[in-house]
Amino acid sequence: MDPVTNPYAPGAGQRPPELAGRDEQLRSFDVVLERIARGRSERSIVLTGLRGVGKTVLLNALRSSAVRADWGTGKFEARPDQRLRRPLAAAAHQAVRELGHPQPDEVDHVLGIVKAFALREAQTGAKLRERWQPGIDAPAVTGRADSGDVEIDLVELFTDIGGLAADVGKGVAFFIDEMQDLDPEDVSALCAACHEISQSGLPVIVVGAGLPHLPAVLSASKSYSERLFRYSRIDRLPRDSADRALVGPAEEEGCAYTPEALDEMYAVTAGYPYFIQAYGKVVWDVTPSSPVTLEDIRVAVPEAESELAVGFFGSRFERATPAEREYLRAMADAAAEDGEGGAEREAVPTSAVADVLGRKPQSLSPARDALIKKGLIYSGERGLIAFTVPHFGRYLRTQA
């Protein structure tokens, strides 16, 4: 079939397969937007899940819902090497402009506060040419969101933006991807700001997405964080949704799948949206005609797995040091040893990893902590460790 019209390729113009099966989250978010618009209190939202389950695509879909509701929106991706002020200020700048407030002076005042918040990141004594300048035309406002304490400043920033939104009967939503990579001090400030806007009933909401241990990151920052956020675990798709993710785009191109082909696709992808898209793309390229058969799937699988080994798994493995790779391989071996019914365990005890390597658990802490910071593994509970990437253990066991 024509690879130019491959409906599973990124940017193909079709509805992304990752979005199949997420109707409940989309409906729930529409309710949240409506409640906040009516002045009712609502919690911010946190999406969690492994890599490849479609969190970013869902986050973008939720932002589109907010845009359709005429809200102001801003989005950024957290990075371990960057503090909160710059990316949040850029997101706030966009959100304020989208509100369409009829009073330019009011808008400029709030934009001046956003600018003051951003500029407070500049190093004391830094030369003018070395200072970062946000692209905001309004002059910085002195005495608001510029104290230097990020918690105080973020509370004031959200309060003033929320007031501007309330003036026009709209809301503002900030979307943060890879939220677990925020600096601990910034996480604490974000929780404090969410608490303040919830107490005051202002129409501002934060929607974050991150790895499964994100709730633990938030809880470690503020003990009351569980009351601030509505947590939603994003997992692999059930069989009917996984089939729909394949069949829907194919039908738009006049193609079908045999029942046996769909059985095999679910077996090899396990319902993970990223794998559905990756395998679906290769299947489309190698299949000569409709319908897609079991034999077509079997022909495509080796090529799809080869591409995943380089782009999805290999690129992550290459980021690890030799000591960290040793730890990852030991994790993979430990996960395969005692899985129920022969299946691979999702999480393994850190002591089991140490046993595989013949080392004391304490001696492996530096490698484990570094892998957590790199987002390759996570600890859902004390003493247990798991891969952030589905099937990563299986990939490691197939490598020399």
Side-chain angles (χ1 to χ4, degrees):
M1 287 180 281
D2 185 1
V4 175
T5 59
N6 191 322
Y8 307 105
Q14 304 293 334
R15 188 179 186 224
E18 294 91 332
L19 211 52
R22 307 305 185 204
D23 294 341
E24 180 181 347
Q25 286 85 2
L26 293 170
R27 284 195 299 268
S28 176
F29 188 63
D30 286 339
V31 172
V32 169
L33 294 177
E34 180 66 23
R35 285 180 57 85
I36 294 176
R38 294 186 178 186
R40 299 178 182 176
S41 177
E42 262 293 353
R43 288 175 291 173
S44 289
I45 297 171
V46 168
L47 311 174
T48 65
L50 298 175
R51 301 202 183 280
V53 296
K55 299 186 301 298
T56 299
V57 173
L58 179 56
L59 197 68
N60 290 336
L62 297 180
R63 184 183 183 185
S64 295
S65 295
V67 170
R68 287 194 297 272
D70 212 20
W71 279 42
T73 68
K75 178 177 178 286
F76 68 93
E77 179 179 318
R79 300 204 310 261
D81 59 346
Q82 185 178 51
R83 294 299 301 268
L84 180 67
R85 286 184 186 267
R86 288 193 190 186
L88 183 60
H93 184 198
Q94 181 174 2
V96 169
R97 292 177 62 195
E98 287 180 357
L99 283 175
H101 195 285
Q103 298 295 329
D105 290 345
E106 295 291 331
V107 174
D108 286 347
H109 178 73
V110 174
L111 286 178
I113 294 171
V114 174
K115 188 172 186 176
F117 174 81
L119 289 175
R120 198 60 181 80
E121 184 175 283
Q123 296 292 327
T124 303
K127 297 178 181 178
L128 182 61
R129 66 174 180 273
E130 297 173 349
R131 295 180 183 177
W132 173 74
Q133 293 291 326
I136 300 175
D137 292 335
V141 173
T142 303
R144 192 68 175 167
D146 63 351
S147 71
D149 184 316
V150 68
E151 185 168 312
I152 294 173
D153 294 348
L154 192 56
V155 168
E156 293 180 351
L157 180 71
F158 276 13
T159 299
D160 292 342
I161 290 176
L164 189 72
D167 287 346
V168 290
K170 299 179 181 179
V172 168
F174 294 103
F175 298 84
I176 308 174
D177 205 0
E178 301 293 348
M179 193 172 174
Q180 76 283 339
D181 286 337
L182 287 173
D183 181 87
E185 185 180 353
D186 293 335
V187 172
S188 179
L190 194 63
C191 288
C194 288
H195 180 66
E196 180 65 25
I197 60 177
S198 176
Q199 292 292 310
S200 60
L202 290 171
V204 178
I205 190 173
V206 172
V207 184
L211 294 173
H213 65 291
L214 176 55
V217 171
L218 296 170
S219 179
S221 174
K222 295 290 187 183
S223 59
Y224 55 76
S225 64
E226 69 276 1
R227 304 195 305 270
L228 300 177
F229 301 100
R230 182 194 302 269
Y231 294 101
S232 179
R233 178 67 184 264
I234 310 302
D235 207 342
R236 55 186 177 174
L237 299 176
R239 175 60 191 271
D240 59 339
S241 296
D243 286 355
R244 190 165 69 250
L246 289 165
V247 172
E251 285 181 343
E252 294 187 17
E253 297 294 334
C255 181
Y257 282 77
T258 66
E260 296 79 13
L262 290 174
D263 289 342
E264 186 68 8
M265 282 294 280
Y266 194 73
V268 298
T269 65
Y272 287 106
Y274 185 86
F275 293 154
I276 291 173
Q277 186 170 18
Y279 281 88
K281 176 183 178 298
V282 177
V283 167
W284 187 269
D285 288 343
V286 305
T287 300
S289 61
S290 181
V292 178
T293 66
L294 175 60
E295 183 59 29
D296 295 326
I297 305 298
R298 289 174 174 170
V299 170
V301 164
E303 181 178 340
E305 291 182 344
S306 178
E307 291 186 7
L308 286 169
V310 175
F312 190 66
F313 298 118
S315 62
R316 289 173 166 82
F317 188 61
E318 290 299 321
R319 293 169 51 199
T321 66
E324 292 162 6
R325 293 177 188 179
E326 182 183 45
Y327 193 93
L328 292 172
R329 291 185 186 279
M331 276 185 63
D333 291 341
E337 286 179 354
D338 298 315
E340 185 177 348
E344 179 175 316
R345 290 187 293 180
E346 290 187 5
V348 297
T350 53
S351 59
V353 179
D355 289 343
V356 171
L357 294 173
R359 305 262 298 278
K360 293 183 178 180
Q362 295 87 341
S363 69
L364 298 172
S365 295
R368 183 189 66 238
D369 294 344
L371 288 167
I372 291 175
K373 289 180 181 179
K374 290 179 179 179
L376 295 175
I377 64 176
Y378 73 97
S379 179
E381 58 181 284
R382 187 175 179 83
L384 292 178
I385 207 78
F387 293 113
T388 61
V389 178
H391 296 175
F392 199 47
R394 186 174 70 182
Y395 159 76
L396 292 173
R397 290 192 297 274
T398 63
Q399 303 304 301

